[in-house]
Amino acid sequence: QVQLQESGPGLVMPSQTLSLTCTVSGGSISSATYSWSWIRQPAGKGLEWIGRIYASGSTNYNPSLKSRVTISVDTSKNQFSLKLSSVTAADTAVYYCTRGCVNCDYWGQGTLVTVSS
Amino acid sequence: QSALTQPASVSGSPGQSITISCTGTSSDVGSYNLVSWYQQHPGKAPKLMIYEVSKRPSGASNRFSGSKSGDTASLTISGLQAEDEADYYCCSYAGSSTFVVFGGGTKLTVL
């Protein structure tokens, strides 16, 4: 059974960089079949796709966030990571890592990141 | 404002069927058979219920079905049960520029 777990700071200062890591267990992140995505959800609001990566390192990003987002992968640790720069209060949300892109069949439990001074 | 339009809420009684619509454009829903549907209970991660318009992943109840006509996709839940009360989101591939778009979500209330 594939499991994903997000980790990282729960509080980030405005203008700083949000950094999260997703650790995958029960399956290899190196499989060429799947991509790995980050999705976020502000409290009481809908889902927003941030971007995805393949084990090869190939990425695609949400155009509205592209200038601030970097997603990377570490196949040796079976992990992939998210960096979101120049954060503001509008970036406060629960961040999920998932397997897949449009068809996200496995999700992490989500981690709340609050942007505040 | 979300790229895909869903009704804010729908409701139904136990045993009934309900349908949730998801309206996009010819740039997303209308052009690709890559529409998925997610169920989200409060405080939980979303769960994939339908993918590629009408396919059901293992673990999803066969009371859930999906379809598409033109720029609008639909999720139908038959034999409504109390446990179906949740938020539902549609999602579509939107081409190599925009890539992925979500609907704003629909709250299903089982009366």
Side-chain angles (χ1 to χ4, degrees), chain A residues 39 41 45-49 52 60-63 96 101-105 107-109, chain B residues 34-36 38 40 44-46 48 51-52 89 91-93 97-100 102 104:
Chain A
I39 292 169
Q41 184 174 36
K45 296 187 178 180
L47 301 167
E48 180 179 33
W49 180 76
R52 73 153 182 196
N60 299 95
Y61 298 130
N62 183 327
Y96 296 100
C101 187
V102 176
N103 308 332
C104 301
D105 56 356
W107 293 64
Q109 64 186 20
Chain B
L34 293 172
V35 177
S36 55
Y38 297 89
Q40 186 180 34
K44 300 295 186 180
L48 181 66
Y51 69 100
E52 293 176 9
Y89 294 92
C91 179
S92 175
Y93 178 67
S97 296
T98 305
F99 226 79
V100 175
F102 278 98

Side-chain angles (χ1 to χ4, degrees), chain B residues 42-107:
Chain B
K44 300 295 186 180
K47 176 184 177 182
L48 181 66
M49 304 303 289
I50 295 289
Y51 69 100
E52 293 176 9
V53 176
S54 60
K55 298 178 181 178
R56 244 186 343 266
S58 59
S61 170
N62 59 9
R63 296 185 297 104
F64 289 75
S65 61
S67 63
K68 190 184 85 166
S69 177
D71 296 342
T72 298
S74 298
L75 173 71
T76 298
I77 308 173
S78 60
L80 212 54
Q81 299 180 359
E83 67 202 48
D84 300 330
E85 186 162 293
D87 293 325
Y88 291 85
Y89 294 92
C90 62
C91 179
S92 175
Y93 178 67
S96 59
S97 296
T98 305
F99 226 79
V100 175
V101 290
F102 278 98
T106 298
K107 181 175 181 60

Side-chain angles (χ1 to χ4, degrees), chain A residues 7-9 12 15-22 36-40 50-53 59-62 64-74 79-88 91 95-97 111 113 115:
Chain A
S7 59
V12 181
S15 81
Q16 299 301 303
T17 296
L18 178 161
S19 296
L20 295 175
T21 295
C22 182
W36 306 87
S37 292
W38 287 97
I39 292 169
R40 70 180 183 179
I50 298 171
R52 73 153 182 196
I53 192 165
T59 55
N60 299 95
Y61 298 130
N62 183 327
S64 68
L65 298 170
K66 187 174 184 177
S67 63
R68 298 193 292 130
V69 173
T70 301
I71 298 176
S72 57
V73 64
D74 186 338
Q79 295 176 335
F80 63 108
S81 298
L82 168 70
K83 291 189 184 298
L84 181 65
S85 64
S86 305
V87 297
T88 69
D91 296 309
Y95 285 76
Y96 296 100
C97 59
T111 187
V113 178
V115 178

